[in-house]
Amino acid sequence: MPPPVNCSSGDVEAMRIVLLGPPGSGKGTQARKLMAERNIPQVSTGDMLRAAIAADSRFGQQAKEIMEAGQLVSDDIILGIISERLAEADAQDGFILDGFPRTVQQALDLSDLLDQLGQPLDAAVLLDVDFDILIRRLTGRRTCSLNGKLLNIYFSPPEELDACINAGGELLRREDDNEETIRNRLDVYRERTEPLINYYKKRGKLKTVDAGGTIDEVFERLSANL
Ligand code: AMP
């Protein structure tokens, strides 16, 4: 019999991974699928910052303009958010980090934090995808206002896009998914985040997954690598 995949069973080792990759590589989408399958939380710094903005908290007020410009929020703020999140009960049996770390300093901070918690990282998984696919994923990305479902005007089946609109919903575009901000985010990725590929390679933690193709195809490759 295959081993159970549900961590709440207590029979499976904790899985602690970082999902690495440029904006649009599918980190959020794949993290949500992994979370559903393995019952470990997706920890997305981008989602936490957007929630802080929606709540108009102090962090949110500090982060809003920076995010809208496609720049990085300071390492200090991010470390504060992550330290609190990883101390929560549901993160004790593993987590999927999505969008963090994004700088070498954040990777060093994460390493210190996990040492203190006695929770070593298993792997950093790079979602590797062609530039032209990235651009279409980012410029086409929408969320259905009714149920938060992630859609893409270039890749989602037309019936799924129509279903949202016919039910009275709107296809919302993220504030930072406009062309100029996308360009900035990709530049920032190249300059600040790409060095993490070597950082994790040197430490023997890097796995690379071809992230072109459908969501299910990528998920199959990702699962096979973990
Ligand atoms: P994401 O949803 O991961 O694409 O993040 C959206 C935006 O939030 C980024 O463009 C940054 O402005 C900010 N952000 C998210 N995660 C981080 C991080 N780890 N470090 C700095 N800024 C971040």
Side-chain angles (χ1 to χ4, degrees), residues 45-46 49-50 67 71 73 78 99 102 106 174 176 185:
T45 41
L49 290 167
R50 280 183 286 277
M67 287 174 75
Q71 300 299 324
V73 174
I78 296 292
R102 252 177 160 99
Q106 289 181 12
R174 250 171 63 169
D176 58 354
R185 287 160 66 206

Side-chain angles (χ1 to χ4, degrees), residues 14 42 71 77 87 99 130 146 155 198 208:
Q42 168 205 22
Q71 300 299 324
I77 291 186
D130 283 347
L146 295 177
F155 300 118
N198 258 331
T208 302

Side-chain angles (χ1 to χ4, degrees), residues 124-214:
V125 185
L126 172 67
L127 298 182
D128 194 22
V129 67
D130 283 347
F131 187 74
D132 55 328
I133 298 181
L134 282 185
I135 294 293
R136 280 197 295 161
R137 284 190 184 165
L138 290 166
T139 55
R141 181 156 70 179
R142 300 289 185 276
T143 305
C144 177
S145 60
L146 295 177
N147 52 16
K149 190 175 164 78
L150 267 184
L151 297 164
N152 188 295
I153 56 171
Y154 302 118
F155 300 118
S156 297
E159 335 48 288
E160 286 191 16
L161 297 165
D162 291 346
C164 177
I165 290 162
N166 293 341
E170 273 181 87
L171 298 177
L172 302 177
R173 193 173 187 178
R174 250 171 63 169
E175 291 280 350
D176 58 354
D177 274 346
N178 64 73
E179 321 274 316
E180 193 190 336
T181 307
I182 288 171
R183 214 167 316 120
N184 286 343
R185 287 160 66 206
L186 290 170
D187 286 347
V188 167
Y189 173 77
R190 260 186 234 115
E191 281 168 29
R192 310 284 309 277
T193 310
E194 223 168 42
L196 291 180
I197 297 174
N198 258 331
Y199 174 96
Y200 284 115
K201 197 188 250 175
K202 276 193 199 146
R203 287 159 179 80
K205 298 267 187 205
L206 187 75
K207 294 178 186 232
T208 302
V209 168
D210 171 4
T214 67

